[in-house]
Amino acid sequence: MIEYRIYVLSGDERIAQALEDRFDNDNAALERAEDAYAGHYAAEVYDGERLVARLGGPFRLD
């Protein structure tokens, strides 16, 4: 099992929710992130310092 962090982001790129959990692989963590970010702007999934994926809205620096 691998420790992952999921950050659910609001429209202004702020962390609305942070989750930590163990999953068998990246795909399992991504499935959980899809559920977690429903109704929010985006979610980012990390394995340590490695960004696994960003789901939802594009990264913005406004």
Side-chain angles (χ1 to χ4, degrees):
M1 299 282 277
I2 304 165
E3 180 92 16
Y4 289 87
R5 290 182 327 261
I6 300 170
Y7 296 114
V8 178
L9 306 174
S10 63
D12 59 355
E13 294 287 333
R14 295 187 185 269
I15 296 173
Q17 183 178 15
L19 308 166
E20 289 188 21
D21 208 341
R22 293 181 181 271
F23 298 97
D24 290 330
N25 55 46
D26 289 355
N27 288 336
L30 290 170
E31 286 178 16
R32 175 63 178 100
E34 286 178 5
D35 293 338
Y37 99 93
H40 290 87
Y41 180 72
E44 294 180 346
V45 179
Y46 287 87
D47 167 12
E49 292 186 22
R50 177 178 72 97
L51 174 62
V52 176
R54 180 181 172 102
L55 307 172
F59 183 75
R60 298 183 316 206
L61 291 174
D62 354 317

